Structures are given as structure tokens and as C-alpha cells.
Amino acid sequence: MIASHRLKDIPFHESINVGEVMESLPSAIVIHYSGNDSLAGTVNWLCDKQARASAHVVVGEEGEMAQLVPFNQVAWHAGKSKYKGKSNFNNFSIGIELVNPGKLVRVGDEYQAWFGKTYPASRVVKVETKNSQEYWCSYSIPQIQALKELILVLKRHYPINMLVGHEEISPGRKVDPGPAFPLEDMRRQLMDIDRDGLLNETEKSDIQLGEVIAQQLNIRSSIRGVPRKGPLKRGKRVWILEESNDWYKVFVEETGWVKKEFVKLLDK
Ligand SMILES: [Zn+2]
């Protein structure tokens, strides 16, 4: 899945907002949120000179991803940072940016992001504070699932021993990924278990896992769309996100639609 410090099968958009090659392989992962609602918008901004910021990978709300910086090169995501005796996390960590608007404000029955978009109550995580109630936008199941897979892949290639939120290493200055992000669950699930452990964990979730039974299976971005390059091969595992007549919307490294008859549902 990783060659020359890049994820295979994931689009690479090179950011110029980078430092040197790291002195040793990355040993920590830092989680951020983008503060917006779009993967493309996040990628464009983090590749823009004006941003003076970047991340190694951006993960969208449907679990789609883009990589901006090779994993052995310093990305500018953490800034001034200190945690458990370590500082300057950019020098030894992989920065992952999750597309998420962050904190929301209640407006009538809806919840509004700072950039004006509203979210339904079903997306909101309510957090009680001393004097008031805060509203944060939840992270989607496919996004969390994609992040877990990514972290496991990174753990297999790099000596990762720390998973932290930006707010932990830059307290007072940063609030991402915020209380809606299941940081403790992730640490418990990913930092001490193997791949099978993750699959066991996933079986408890609502997402059905399937396996491709055709020799090669076309995947399309919409049901009537043209097949993408690189069909799925027999035995490939896919998460089934949605069903529509003869079709499943699946998640592999990205989402797309496939013919149902060529996917076998796996036992829960
Ligand atoms: Zn951040």
C-alpha cells in the first residue's frame, strides 16, 4: 500500500508547504480537522503558498483521500507543539487532516458552521460545558473507517507509537480534532491491536463488509457513470455503504458503485 513513502492508489497532489526530509522515520500521528466541508477545497488550500500549512493526508467525509506530502518529509501541520516530553511534532509526525467543519452554532432547528453551511441535528454531537452547551459536527462512519485503515497501513510501515490530537500537543492554541472525534477509542483499538483486531471491532459496527467474487469488477463514481481505471480484483474487501436496486455503493480506498451480483456479503 505504501511505496516511496506514498500511498498507492491514492491521488497525490504535491504541496510546496514542506520542510526537509525527516531525520528518522515518522513515529507519531497527529489528527486535525480542516474546518470546512470539502476534500478538494482542503487540498487546494494546503497546496497554496499562502496557507503556509500542509498535511500528509486529507481524508474526506466519505472516506476518500488525497496525499500531499511523502511520509518521510516534514509537513507543516502541528506548529508550536509539545506533549509528553516531546516538542516540534512536525519533525517526526504524520499529519492527517479530516474534512470536518468543527464547532457549530445553533440556529433554530439547524446547526451552522462558521462558513454558513447548516447541518442537521443528526450530525451534531452535544457537549456539556460548565456554563453552556457546545455543538460539534460528528465525523462520518466511512471517514473514521478510512482513517483506521490508513493508520493501520502506516503502522505497518513506520514505527508509530503515538496517536495524538492537535489540541493535545498545542493546548490553548488549537481545538482540533475536538470532542466529536473518538480519539480514546482509536487509541484503544489501533495502538495495541493487530489488523484482525480491527476487523473484529468493525464487525460490531453497522457497516456490512463484502468481497468481490468476479474476476474483475468495474467501479463507477455514479450508477450511470463510466467505469474508473483499475477495476477491483476478485477477493477485494469492500465496505457496503448503500444499496440501490442492483447496485451497492462501496468504499475501498474511495467510494463508487458496483454491480451487486459480483459482491458476496461476508458474515457479521
Ligand atoms: Zn490542526
Side-chain angles (χ1 to χ4, degrees):
M1 275 288 284
I2 294 179
S4 305
H5 304 289
R6 293 182 187 207
L7 291 163
K8 286 161 112 187
D9 309 321
I10 298 291
F12 190 89
H13 301 277
E14 190 173 8
S15 174
I16 51 168
N17 301 324
V18 295
E20 305 287 312
V21 170
M22 291 178 191
E23 282 175 19
S24 58
L25 291 174
S27 58
I29 294 174
V30 181
I31 305 294
H32 306 263
Y33 65 55
S34 63
N36 66 7
D37 66 344
S38 134
L39 180 95
T42 306
V43 169
N44 284 343
W45 173 242
L46 295 178
C47 289
D48 188 325
K49 205 167 114 189
Q50 285 181 57
R52 299 195 57 77
S54 60
H56 291 90
V57 179
V58 183
V59 183
E61 291 184 308
E62 291 193 35
E64 73 279 28
M65 293 184 201
Q67 186 173 354
L68 313 181
V69 180
F71 294 120
N72 66 335
Q73 188 167 13
V74 170
W76 298 342
H77 59 95
K80 194 163 183 261
S81 46
K82 203 170 171 212
Y83 185 71
K84 293 197 172 166
K86 293 177 178 247
S87 54
N88 296 323
F89 272 65
N90 282 349
N91 293 339
F92 60 91
S93 73
I94 292 172
I96 301 176
E97 198 76 54
L98 303 174
V99 174
N100 180 284
K103 204 170 170 178
L104 305 173
V105 178
R106 189 169 183 169
V107 182
D109 290 341
E110 293 186 313
Y111 298 84
Q112 196 171 47
W114 67 272
F115 50 90
K117 180 169 171 173
T118 55
Y119 291 81
S122 59
R123 284 294 304 272
V124 174
V125 175
K126 290 179 184 167
V127 179
E128 301 284 346
T129 62
K130 261 187 215 153
N131 307 314
S132 64
Q133 194 157 43
E134 290 182 356
Y135 306 101
W136 295 80
C137 188
S138 63
Y139 293 84
S140 72
I141 293 171
Q143 186 177 37
I144 292 296
Q145 198 55 51
L147 176 63
K148 285 181 183 174
E149 295 275 347
L150 173 62
I151 291 172
L152 288 178
V153 168
L154 292 171
K155 280 189 69 188
R156 262 182 266 140
H157 282 83
Y158 301 110
I160 304 292
N161 56 27
M162 203 181 235
L163 174 66
V164 290
H166 200 186
E167 63 198 293
E168 293 177 302
I169 61 171
S170 304
R173 195 170 70 81
K174 292 290 173 180
V175 295
D176 59 321
F181 182 74
L183 187 55
E184 288 308 325
D185 283 354
M186 287 244 167
R187 280 198 188 115
R188 207 170 46 238
Q189 286 177 29
L190 301 178
M191 297 314 286
D192 290 308
I193 59 159
D194 58 13
R195 195 180 163 72
D196 291 330
L198 174 78
L199 286 176
N200 288 336
E201 196 54 45
T202 306
E203 278 161 16
K204 290 181 211 143
S205 86
D206 298 337
I207 305 186
Q208 173 77 51
L209 190 63
E211 188 179 298
V212 173
I213 53 173
Q215 204 58 256
Q216 296 213 317
L217 176 60
N218 282 326
I219 179 165
R220 315 155 194 264
S221 42
S222 65
I223 291 174
R224 275 176 249 290
V226 292
R228 292 202 193 136
K229 262 190 236 157
L232 305 175
K233 302 233 167 71
R234 182 195 291 273
K236 182 83 183 169
R237 297 233 166 154
V238 294
W239 300 107
I240 294 163
L241 305 178
E242 256 181 78
E243 191 174 344
S244 175
N245 297 321
D246 292 342
W247 297 82
Y248 283 136
K249 185 180 192 182
V250 299
F251 170 72
V252 195
E253 281 85 14
E254 52 184 348
T255 58
W257 292 86
V258 299
K259 274 281 201 184
K260 242 162 103 169
E261 58 182 302
F262 300 119
V263 175
K264 172 180 85 181
L265 297 183
L266 296 174
D267 287 342
K268 282 234 181 189

